[in-house]
Amino acid sequence: MASLAGVVACTDKGSTPPAAVTPAGGAITNPGQGTHGVVTHLKPGELDTYYGLWSGGHTGDVRVLGLPSGREILRIPCFVPDALVGWGVTNESKKIMGTRPDGSLRYNVGDSHHTHASYKDGNYDGRYAWINDKLNSRLARIRLDYFTCDKIADLPNVQGFHGIFPDKRDPVDEKINYTTRVFCGGEFGVPLPDGISGGASKDRSLFTCVDAESMEVRWQVVVDGNCDLIATSYDGKLAATNQYNTENATHYAEMMAAERDACLFFNIARIEAAVKAGKFKTYANSKVPVVDGTHSANQDPKSALTAYVSVPKNPHGVNATPDQKYFICAGKLSPTATVIELSKVLDWFDGKLEKIDDAIVAEVELGLGPLHTAFDDRGNAYTTLFLDSQVVKWNVAAAIKFHHGDKNAKYVVDRLDVHYQPGHLNASHSETIAPDGKILAVGCKFSKDRFLPVGPLHPENEQLIDISGDKMVLLADHPVRGEPHDFIIFKRELVRPKQVYALDDFPLAVKDPAESGVFRNGKKVTVKMTSQAPAFSLNEIRLKKGDEVTLILTNLDKIEDLTHGFAISRYNVNFIVNPQETASVSFVADKPGVFWCYCTHFCHALHLEMRIRMIVEA
Ligand code: RUQ
Ligand code: CUA
Ligand code: CA
């Protein structure tokens, strides 16, 4: 990292012109750079220019990075319990995560892949972000004012819930120029409760729409083949998913049988009109309206809800270009990317384009194993090549010219080796109308020799690339715990998170230390308590064996960053309360004895003294 210290900044003082870009080794790292190189090594106290929201993978959380430094500044637990904040321990977090009748968590593992944020006028608006759990078919929402997960939706009749993407505006109502829906792609076919006819197999995948505000599931669409990644148009009219299993197969060999699969488009306004008109069915196990998006039911363009555009063999990834005109679907098993023109897909739905495949305006070779695509502000696309271990930079307009016969159109602009086997990549504001073309991160699935060896489990390698010039420049390696998948990068001025909670936001808040006490109603006991450094408001909690206890703790400290913890020895309880936050836990006092309860977050010179006893009488 030290050798990167000389690389020039887009930091706070970013308007100063770049100094010579000479790392310790003496070589110029940013040849031909314009006015903005990128500093990855910030001086102590300097702040990053971008937030990165990273999927946490198996840990089921969202990692918040500062970029370009790559420093991890927060983990936001969503699907999996978290020992720092007591996620999955407090009653409030358990309610969001979902519990079984006995009060235990419904799920305590996850597999998150994709994170995306809410839009307004085609750009991020800093309200919400979402993340999926592929394993247990859940969608979590994160409030970006507090950087916490506040709701989790369960998708019915879906397994392998993979891609997500918010819509960017409403397809009908002009006034709704912001995200109101989140689309979710179901990858694995499952037997549906009352079946649906057609195809070799009765197992089906569903495309799901979740309401961005209420987080209720609005509707679902049964499709032929599978869903995978999702992209949405800037006019709100279409959502798209790549399909690698149009074969509806259950085994990988059969999933590769067809030479071409598809990119499937959903006509959002028509689907919602069909739901409104009652043209749907519901399955016995859920009330969610389900419309028929299969091939056979959508032959007439004028009434079709879906359109299947043919794309070469087992495509992966679909992305919407920032000029709002195209969707790009990468080939995976084909060395190509397919460029599909939005207006032509809409023409087909209007009966003005005869063959839906005529919406394809380019299908160009990029290299082996193309997966995901990001964009800059100069008409270029950046696609990961999994097998070639490269990022290829290519110009979309030139690719279209080449496809239409201009063999002099050089569409490949640059290639950069990455280390190794890249999956996702994303650039700053890439999939918005305002990409800034500065930094690009690549999630490399293999790191091999890039870090000190630590045994058989290697980290993944996330690499940062400067894309501000003609040539891509590799800036940094960052080891990361597997298997994080996807991420977005946005300007830091988009969010202004609150530093202290509001006491009134918590119905259970203990607003005055005088309200503290142990309140008994038969076996049910409520303990009310406050914390103010360096003391809890009670000196002792006296209980009887078998008591069903709910303990409520409000942190009355108002100072930014003054967090307290509360842990009960041998009772498996540990959580924190941030300034002005209230949290509660419920447990049965099943072990008699004396148990120290102590503050776990270093809060004061007397932090170690901040402890009380819980006495459980036999
Ligand atoms: S997928 S490496 Cu789970 Cu995002 Cu493409
Ligand atoms: Cu309160 Cu440490
Ligand atoms: Ca296939």
Side-chain angles (χ1 to χ4, degrees):
M1 285 289 280
S3 69
L4 296 163
V7 183
V8 178
C10 52
T11 60
D12 287 351
K13 301 150 204 145
S15 51
T16 45
V21 191
T22 313
I28 301 289
T29 58
N30 282 12
Q33 287 304 286
T35 50
H36 43 250
V38 178
V39 163
T40 58
H41 186 84
L42 297 183
K43 293 199 191 86
E46 274 185 341
L47 298 183
D48 279 292
T49 340
Y50 299 93
Y51 283 99
L53 289 188
W54 249 248
S55 157
H58 295 49
T59 41
D61 53 17
V62 170
R63 296 158 57 209
V64 184
L65 305 189
L67 287 167
S69 76
R71 298 177 295 191
E72 182 177 304
I73 43 187
L74 185 70
R75 282 189 173 235
I76 306 166
C78 298
F79 301 116
V80 175
D82 179 85
L84 171 67
V85 303
W87 194 251
V89 175
T90 64
N91 294 332
E92 292 71 26
S93 61
K94 283 170 108 176
K95 194 170 167 217
I96 295 167
M97 294 174 84
T99 51
R100 297 169 197 266
D102 72 354
S104 65
L105 287 179
R106 201 154 152 234
Y107 303 113
N108 50 27
V109 289
D111 177 27
S112 54
H113 284 220
H114 299 111
T115 178
H116 289 287
S118 56
Y119 286 79
K120 187 176 183 192
D121 287 324
N123 203 350
Y124 298 131
D125 65 0
R127 274 186 304 147
Y128 296 127
W130 289 270
I131 187 158
N132 76 309
D133 170 22
K134 182 168 177 173
L135 181 60
N136 294 312
S137 304
R138 295 178 288 174
L139 177 73
R141 182 175 74 184
I142 286 148
R143 298 174 56 149
L144 290 174
D145 53 353
Y146 287 112
F147 276 74
T148 52
C149 169
D150 75 330
K151 277 183 193 280
I152 293 180
D154 255 284
L155 313 190
N157 296 313
V158 168
Q159 286 182 31
F161 157 36
H162 197 199
I164 62 167
F165 219 102
D167 66 0
K168 300 189 182 94
R169 57 174 310 127
D170 191 89
V172 182
D173 189 337
E174 295 256 297
K175 289 191 293 283
I176 304 179
N177 57 349
Y178 52 87
T179 295
T180 58
R181 309 166 179 84
V182 184
F183 301 116
C184 309
E187 189 180 336
F188 307 157
V190 289
L192 293 175
D194 354 323
I196 182 159
S197 58
S201 158
K202 292 239 163 110
D203 293 357
R204 291 287 168 180
S205 298
L206 297 171
F207 175 79
T208 303
C209 173
V210 175
D211 190 285
E213 272 311 317
S214 70
M215 290 290 284
E216 304 277 326
V217 177
R218 277 201 195 178
W219 43 259
Q220 296 186 299
V221 185
V222 180
V223 302
D224 281 320
N226 65 316
C227 305
D228 192 10
L229 282 301
I230 309 280
T232 59
S233 64
Y234 289 84
D235 60 11
K237 291 183 177 161
L238 297 177
T241 187
N242 63 292
Q243 300 196 292
Y244 64 81
N245 187 18
T246 52
E247 297 89 346
N248 265 0
T250 50
H251 189 253
Y252 86 93
E254 288 102 61
M255 290 179 201
M256 299 190 301
E259 273 317 304
R260 292 182 79 91
D261 287 293
C263 182
L264 169 58
F265 287 88
F266 298 89
N267 187 318
I268 303 307
R270 281 193 193 165
I271 291 169
E272 301 220 324
V275 170
K276 219 173 181 180
K279 291 185 204 147
F280 61 82
K281 64 188 294 182
T282 52
Y283 295 124
N285 62 343
S286 88
K287 292 196 181 72
V288 176
V290 181
V291 300
D292 188 347
T294 59
H295 239 301
S296 56
N298 293 278
Q299 289 301 307
D300 179 4
K302 293 260 181 170
S303 61
L305 309 179
T306 55
Y308 292 73
V309 177
S310 154
V311 170
K313 215 167 178 94
N314 291 39
H316 188 77
V318 57
N319 296 92
T321 59
D323 64 6
Q324 315 181 36
K325 289 190 196 156
Y326 307 107
F327 286 87
I328 290 171
C329 200
K332 193 168 79 184
L333 298 192
S334 158
T336 53
T338 301
V339 183
I340 300 165
E341 190 167 340
L342 167 71
S343 66
K344 296 199 169 175
V345 177
L346 293 173
D347 281 351
W348 181 84
F349 277 116
D350 288 344
K352 291 190 273 191
L353 183 77
E354 209 185 313
K355 294 211 304 282
I356 183 66
D357 286 355
D358 289 343
I360 296 171
V361 292
E363 199 160 282
V364 290
E365 270 194 40
L366 297 178
L368 295 183
L371 293 185
H372 294 283
T373 300
F375 306 99
D376 66 16
D377 54 344
R378 308 179 297 280
N380 300 306
Y382 300 77
T383 300
T384 46
L385 301 174
F386 182 79
L387 298 174
D388 280 341
S389 282
Q390 281 185 338
V391 172
V392 54
K393 173 181 176 182
W394 55 289
N395 184 276
V396 180
I400 294 170
K401 275 194 198 145
F402 182 88
H403 183 83
H404 286 92
D406 179 356
K407 296 304 167 201
N408 293 324
K410 269 198 64 172
Y411 59 88
V412 171
V413 182
D414 190 23
R415 290 178 189 277
L416 182 76
D417 289 337
V418 294
H419 312 84
Y420 305 87
Q421 267 73 42
H424 277 278
L425 82 177
N426 221 332
S428 33
H429 283 255
S430 168
E431 216 153 327
T432 72
I433 57 163
D436 70 358
K438 287 191 178 159
I439 54 170
L440 176 126
V442 189
C444 297
K445 300 295 189 190
F446 291 65
S447 62
K448 296 182 187 170
D449 52 6
R450 300 296 280 197
F451 304 106
L452 286 176
V454 284
L457 177 63
H458 295 230
E460 294 187 11
N461 185 14
E462 285 174 349
Q463 298 193 300
L464 195 73
I465 296 170
D466 182 344
I467 55 166
S468 59
D470 291 340
K471 289 277 201 197
M472 292 178 277
V473 180
L474 183 58
L475 295 175
D477 284 359
H478 294 288
V480 61
R481 194 179 149 95
E483 171 63 31
H485 296 273
D486 201 9
F487 39 84
I488 57 171
I489 301 166
F490 57 88
K491 291 183 180 157
R492 73 169 194 217
E493 46 282 10
L494 272 171
V495 282
R496 300 226 173 271
K498 297 178 181 155
Q499 302 298 300
V500 173
Y501 279 101
L503 212 51
D504 289 335
D505 286 351
F506 301 92
L508 295 180
V510 185
K511 295 187 180 173
D512 186 330
E515 294 169 28
S516 305
V518 179
F519 304 94
R520 176 174 294 279
N521 181 1
K523 269 182 147 340
K524 297 216 182 296
V525 175
T526 306
V527 179
K528 293 187 182 180
M529 224 169 42
T530 61
S531 60
Q532 271 169 299
F536 294 110
S537 58
L538 296 177
N539 291 329
E540 190 175 279
I541 301 168
R542 268 191 189 269
L543 301 169
K544 294 198 181 80
K545 189 185 171 201
D547 281 348
E548 294 161 20
V549 185
T550 294
L551 184 147
I552 304 162
L553 175 61
T554 298
N555 182 0
L556 290 180
D557 276 314
K558 291 189 180 118
I559 301 168
E560 189 179 319
D561 208 8
L562 212 173
T563 296
H564 296 286
F566 191 79
I568 310 176
S569 304
R570 299 187 184 278
Y571 263 85
N572 206 28
V573 168
N574 189 2
F575 63 98
I576 57 170
V577 274
N578 293 295
Q580 302 282 291
E581 185 182 21
T582 298
S584 67
V585 287
S586 294
F587 59 93
V588 177
D590 53 1
K591 288 180 288 285
V594 175
F595 302 92
W596 279 103
C597 310
Y598 64 99
C599 177
T600 50
H601 222 80
F602 215 112
C603 55
H604 190 275
L606 290 170
H607 158 75
L608 290 170
E609 288 81 350
M610 189 169 176
R611 54 191 166 104
I612 65 172
R613 295 187 310 164
M614 180 173 89
I615 297 160
V616 182
E617 292 161 3

